Amino acid sequence: MPLTPARDAGRPRYLQIADDLSQQIQEALGDPQAKLRPGAKVPSEADLMDRYSVAQGTVRKAMTELRVRGLVETHHGRGSFVRKAPPVQRKSSDRFRRSHRVAGKAAYLAEAEQAGAKPSVRVLFVGQTEAPAEVAVRLGLEPGARVLARRRLYYSDGIPTEEATSYLPWDLAESIPLLRDENPGPGGIYARIEERGALLKEFRETVRVRLATKEEQSALGLSPGAPVIHLMRDAQIESGRVVEVCDTLMSADQFVLEYRIPAGD
């Protein structure tokens, strides 16, 4: 599809290309025969360089712009694809509702299904370890104290989107054996904790956005320079004790974080 001179006058070449591809992606919605339909692979850098008669750097800038717009996703070693579905919307007021746990659904599974995606999870590690410094402080423990670590990799439609490690005090893990199982049962670890009468009262989250490290790029299939959301969450029970700290790394273009903040006193 040729670019439109009147529309593109004065705009950087990479933005002209990004606009053109964006239009093709939008026009392909609902058309199973279109080349840039949802889930389709985007033409290679070489093909785009030839199509638009530009250098590699210009094509890469255009692809970065499409990722920023949330229209494509790039996976290390596989290439770029038109996004199949909008980002998962994480609603702070909904994701930890007790009703989800009673229904046997952990937070990630519930919100991914609401977004129309097929969620899955792979357990990477469950076992005893020393608490990292920040985790120890949040749990109210001495540096290097023994904790239970549960590390998981989450997928949406088969694509890795989030890696999370939950840290729980070791005395709690000893008192609730299912917390040490790969599958803690319906509703996840929060359901097991509440079954013992320790009702969850509050969650506190700290959110940072930064560039992914090489190791994180590999784990989540991200491109070099891709942003990630680094989220740390404390789970506090009614007694005031923090019973879990969850250290979560999220592919930034896969999620929208929504928070409700009271305006009263």
Side-chain angles (χ1 to χ4, degrees), residues 175-197:
S175 67
I176 308 176
L178 279 173
L179 296 180
R180 306 196 301 272
D181 287 356
E182 282 198 8
N183 183 357
I189 62 174
Y190 294 155
R192 303 290 80 76
I193 292 172
E194 291 196 317
E195 285 173 353
R196 293 299 183 94

Side-chain angles (χ1 to χ4, degrees), residues 21-38 40 82:
L21 292 171
S22 295
Q23 182 177 339
Q24 294 180 53
I25 290 171
Q26 295 299 327
E27 291 176 349
L29 294 175
D31 182 358
Q33 304 301 318
K35 291 184 178 180
L36 290 181
R37 63 191 181 280
V82 178

Side-chain angles (χ1 to χ4, degrees), residues 77-180:
R78 296 174 54 203
S80 295
F81 299 81
V82 178
R83 184 185 292 280
K84 287 185 179 180
V88 172
Q89 189 162 6
R90 294 172 59 121
K91 298 183 178 181
S92 64
S93 60
D94 178 76
R95 73 184 316 260
F96 295 120
R97 290 172 63 92
R98 187 165 288 113
S99 59
H100 291 320
R101 297 192 288 279
V102 171
K105 293 183 179 181
Y108 180 86
L109 301 182
E111 66 192 8
E113 289 177 356
Q114 289 173 0
K118 182 180 179 181
S120 57
V121 59
R122 180 160 66 96
V123 177
L124 303 177
F125 174 80
V126 177
Q128 188 181 112
T129 189
E130 291 186 0
E134 183 176 357
V135 170
V137 170
R138 287 172 173 261
L139 287 173
L141 301 174
E142 294 295 324
R146 293 187 307 160
V147 293
L148 172 68
R150 299 181 54 86
R151 186 181 178 198
R152 297 90 64 200
L153 185 61
Y154 293 95
Y155 297 80
S156 178
D157 292 329
I159 297 171
T161 60
E162 175 180 336
E163 185 175 281
T165 304
S166 289
Y167 297 94
L168 300 96
W170 187 249
D171 67 288
L172 185 67
E174 286 187 315
S175 67
I176 308 176
L178 279 173
L179 296 180
R180 306 196 301 272

Side-chain angles (χ1 to χ4, degrees), residues 19-20 47 51-52 82 88 96 126 131 138 146-147 153 194-195 203 206 214 216 229 234:
D19 289 344
D20 189 46
D47 288 339
R51 178 186 302 181
Y52 294 106
V82 178
V88 172
F96 295 120
V126 177
R138 287 172 173 261
R146 293 187 307 160
V147 293
L153 185 61
E194 291 196 317
E195 285 173 353
F203 296 93
T206 303
K214 288 186 177 181
E216 293 163 353
I229 298 170
D234 300 348

